[in-house]
Amino acid sequence: MLPDSRQIASDIRRALEEDVGRGDLTAALVPRNHGVQAQLICRQEAVLSGIAWVDEVFRQVDSNVELEWHLGDGDRLNENQPACSIHGAAASLLTAERTGLNFLQTLSGTATVTAGYVAAVHGTGVNILDTRKTLPGLRLAQKYAVTCGGGVNHRMGLYDAILIKENHIAAAGSIAAVLKKARHLHPDVPLEIEVENLDELGEALEAGAGRVLLDNFSLQQLREAVKLNGGRARLEASGGVSLDTIRAIAETGVDDISVGALTKDVQAVDFSLLFTD
């Protein structure tokens, strides 16, 4: 889901403050009223994401700048394909350029990587999930980019779902005890528990877990986990996931695969802003 416009505006204010600061000294060399046409061009095959952030950058720098997008978020771009035409004061375009491109290349990078993982499991019925391993301050933006690439958002943060991990279990005393307490405190909140072996999976299932994360299971262990589960809980595989391994993981019969690399190991998409007159 696209974040609230106020959140996007806040993202842009912070980004412009760190880049423009007290003013763009170089853009001041350009005549204030000199109007230009420009294009945002993608230099590689990619999935587009981040239009609202780019629009907001130009709006905050100069609301008179006009942008015409030729595609939408989630659309595929070919190498050297124009994504957007821009008209406005040259100085404004120069001031907004880097901040706008930073958002566009980062979010399109997240969407593009996600699309690659989604394509790798096509036909298996498995969902590709994101994680909380996001760039600080860009959680909602990157989570949105994941959906542009065909992925599915897991929890947004610590506030909207419970994911019980090994340290939570250790502190509570047992899998059964921590699940019981979680249900008592937050009966209406999505609940998942992480297990590290088949014995722990058995305990979680006996305690009525409805969703279980299988942490760093081998392919054989994943197959055994699916068999042991027998459809009782939704199973998520995590750990050791790459484009080379994800298809085999999906074919074990798990329901979901979470991939930290979608948002953590971002490879920016190459975009350029070029004046055309």
Side-chain angles (χ1 to χ4, degrees), residues 66-71 83-87:
E66 299 175 358
L67 293 88
E68 180 185 356
W69 290 92
H70 309 310
L71 303 98
C84 181
S85 297
I86 308 174
H87 174 72

PDB file of all heavy atoms in Angstrom, residues 66-71 83-87:
ATOM      1  N   GLU A  66       6.358  20.650 -14.022  1.00  0.00           N
ATOM      2  CA  GLU A  66       5.355  19.702 -14.526  1.00  0.00           C
ATOM      3  C   GLU A  66       6.026  18.379 -14.877  1.00  0.00           C
ATOM      4  O   GLU A  66       7.039  18.352 -15.588  1.00  0.00           O
ATOM      5  CB  GLU A  66       4.675  20.275 -15.771  1.00  0.00           C
ATOM      6  CG  GLU A  66       3.935  21.584 -15.501  1.00  0.00           C
ATOM      7  CD  GLU A  66       3.366  22.193 -16.776  1.00  0.00           C
ATOM      8  OE1 GLU A  66       3.587  21.619 -17.866  1.00  0.00           O
ATOM      9  OE2 GLU A  66       2.701  23.248 -16.679  1.00  0.00           O
ATOM     10  N   LEU A  67       5.454  17.275 -14.372  1.00  0.00           N
ATOM     11  CA  LEU A  67       5.967  15.934 -14.656  1.00  0.00           C
ATOM     12  C   LEU A  67       4.893  15.120 -15.359  1.00  0.00           C
ATOM     13  O   LEU A  67       3.731  15.121 -14.943  1.00  0.00           O
ATOM     14  CB  LEU A  67       6.387  15.212 -13.371  1.00  0.00           C
ATOM     15  CG  LEU A  67       7.589  15.770 -12.617  1.00  0.00           C
ATOM     16  CD1 LEU A  67       7.145  16.848 -11.637  1.00  0.00           C
ATOM     17  CD2 LEU A  67       8.338  14.662 -11.889  1.00  0.00           C
ATOM     18  N   GLU A  68       5.277  14.409 -16.399  1.00  0.00           N
ATOM     19  CA  GLU A  68       4.372  13.508 -17.118  1.00  0.00           C
ATOM     20  C   GLU A  68       5.002  12.124 -17.145  1.00  0.00           C
ATOM     21  O   GLU A  68       5.977  11.872 -17.857  1.00  0.00           O
ATOM     22  CB  GLU A  68       4.150  13.997 -18.547  1.00  0.00           C
ATOM     23  CG  GLU A  68       3.216  13.092 -19.351  1.00  0.00           C
ATOM     24  CD  GLU A  68       3.087  13.507 -20.799  1.00  0.00           C
ATOM     25  OE1 GLU A  68       3.649  14.548 -21.188  1.00  0.00           O
ATOM     26  OE2 GLU A  68       2.438  12.744 -21.562  1.00  0.00           O
ATOM     27  N   TRP A  69       4.436  11.227 -16.353  1.00  0.00           N
ATOM     28  CA  TRP A  69       4.953   9.863 -16.278  1.00  0.00           C
ATOM     29  C   TRP A  69       4.397   9.029 -17.422  1.00  0.00           C
ATOM     30  O   TRP A  69       3.200   9.088 -17.707  1.00  0.00           O
ATOM     31  CB  TRP A  69       4.605   9.224 -14.937  1.00  0.00           C
ATOM     32  CG  TRP A  69       5.364   9.845 -13.806  1.00  0.00           C
ATOM     33  CD1 TRP A  69       4.960  10.899 -13.030  1.00  0.00           C
ATOM     34  CD2 TRP A  69       6.664   9.487 -13.351  1.00  0.00           C
ATOM     35  NE1 TRP A  69       5.923  11.205 -12.111  1.00  0.00           N
ATOM     36  CE2 TRP A  69       6.980  10.359 -12.281  1.00  0.00           C
ATOM     37  CE3 TRP A  69       7.581   8.508 -13.736  1.00  0.00           C
ATOM     38  CZ2 TRP A  69       8.200  10.283 -11.598  1.00  0.00           C
ATOM     39  CZ3 TRP A  69       8.786   8.424 -13.065  1.00  0.00           C
ATOM     40  CH2 TRP A  69       9.094   9.307 -12.013  1.00  0.00           C
ATOM     41  N   HIS A  70       5.242   8.244 -18.052  1.00  0.00           N
ATOM     42  CA  HIS A  70       4.835   7.407 -19.167  1.00  0.00           C
ATOM     43  C   HIS A  70       4.474   5.990 -18.734  1.00  0.00           C
ATOM     44  O   HIS A  70       3.925   5.214 -19.523  1.00  0.00           O
ATOM     45  CB  HIS A  70       5.948   7.347 -20.213  1.00  0.00           C
ATOM     46  CG  HIS A  70       6.459   8.697 -20.608  1.00  0.00           C
ATOM     47  ND1 HIS A  70       5.623   9.730 -20.986  1.00  0.00           N
ATOM     48  CD2 HIS A  70       7.724   9.207 -20.661  1.00  0.00           C
ATOM     49  CE1 HIS A  70       6.338  10.807 -21.267  1.00  0.00           C
ATOM     50  NE2 HIS A  70       7.618  10.519 -21.065  1.00  0.00           N
ATOM     51  N   LEU A  71       4.782   5.656 -17.489  1.00  0.00           N
ATOM     52  CA  LEU A  71       4.458   4.349 -16.929  1.00  0.00           C
ATOM     53  C   LEU A  71       4.025   4.539 -15.486  1.00  0.00           C
ATOM     54  O   LEU A  71       4.130   5.633 -14.934  1.00  0.00           O
ATOM     55  CB  LEU A  71       5.675   3.403 -16.974  1.00  0.00           C
ATOM     56  CG  LEU A  71       6.323   3.130 -18.321  1.00  0.00           C
ATOM     57  CD1 LEU A  71       7.542   4.007 -18.508  1.00  0.00           C
ATOM     58  CD2 LEU A  71       6.728   1.664 -18.439  1.00  0.00           C
ATOM     59  N   ALA A  83      11.147   7.309 -18.654  1.00  0.00           N
ATOM     60  CA  ALA A  83      10.089   7.018 -17.695  1.00  0.00           C
ATOM     61  C   ALA A  83       9.200   8.224 -17.453  1.00  0.00           C
ATOM     62  O   ALA A  83       8.025   8.082 -17.120  1.00  0.00           O
ATOM     63  CB  ALA A  83      10.687   6.555 -16.367  1.00  0.00           C
ATOM     64  N   CYS A  84       9.753   9.432 -17.646  1.00  0.00           N
ATOM     65  CA  CYS A  84       9.016  10.645 -17.297  1.00  0.00           C
ATOM     66  C   CYS A  84       9.558  11.824 -18.090  1.00  0.00           C
ATOM     67  O   CYS A  84      10.774  11.926 -18.312  1.00  0.00           O
ATOM     68  CB  CYS A  84       9.178  10.909 -15.802  1.00  0.00           C
ATOM     69  SG  CYS A  84       8.314  12.360 -15.174  1.00  0.00           S
ATOM     70  N   SER A  85       8.660  12.702 -18.518  1.00  0.00           N
ATOM     71  CA  SER A  85       9.046  13.965 -19.144  1.00  0.00           C
ATOM     72  C   SER A  85       8.785  15.088 -18.151  1.00  0.00           C
ATOM     73  O   SER A  85       7.772  15.086 -17.441  1.00  0.00           O
ATOM     74  CB  SER A  85       8.242  14.209 -20.424  1.00  0.00           C
ATOM     75  OG  SER A  85       8.508  13.197 -21.384  1.00  0.00           O
ATOM     76  N   ILE A  86       9.704  16.052 -18.107  1.00  0.00           N
ATOM     77  CA  ILE A  86       9.637  17.111 -17.100  1.00  0.00           C
ATOM     78  C   ILE A  86       9.810  18.462 -17.782  1.00  0.00           C
ATOM     79  O   ILE A  86      10.641  18.619 -18.678  1.00  0.00           O
ATOM     80  CB  ILE A  86      10.737  16.926 -16.035  1.00  0.00           C
ATOM     81  CG1 ILE A  86      10.698  15.508 -15.453  1.00  0.00           C
ATOM     82  CG2 ILE A  86      10.593  17.960 -14.919  1.00  0.00           C
ATOM     83  CD1 ILE A  86      11.837  15.204 -14.499  1.00  0.00           C
ATOM     84  N   HIS A  87       9.027  19.438 -17.343  1.00  0.00           N
ATOM     85  CA  HIS A  87       9.155  20.810 -17.845  1.00  0.00           C
ATOM     86  C   HIS A  87       9.152  21.762 -16.660  1.00  0.00           C
ATOM     87  O   HIS A  87       8.320  21.664 -15.755  1.00  0.00           O
ATOM     88  CB  HIS A  87       7.999  21.173 -18.782  1.00  0.00           C
ATOM     89  CG  HIS A  87       8.017  22.612 -19.193  1.00  0.00           C
ATOM     90  ND1 HIS A  87       8.937  23.134 -20.076  1.00  0.00           N
ATOM     91  CD2 HIS A  87       7.222  23.656 -18.808  1.00  0.00           C
ATOM     92  CE1 HIS A  87       8.719  24.422 -20.236  1.00  0.00           C
ATOM     93  NE2 HIS A  87       7.679  24.764 -19.484  1.00  0.00           N
TER      94      HIS A  87
END
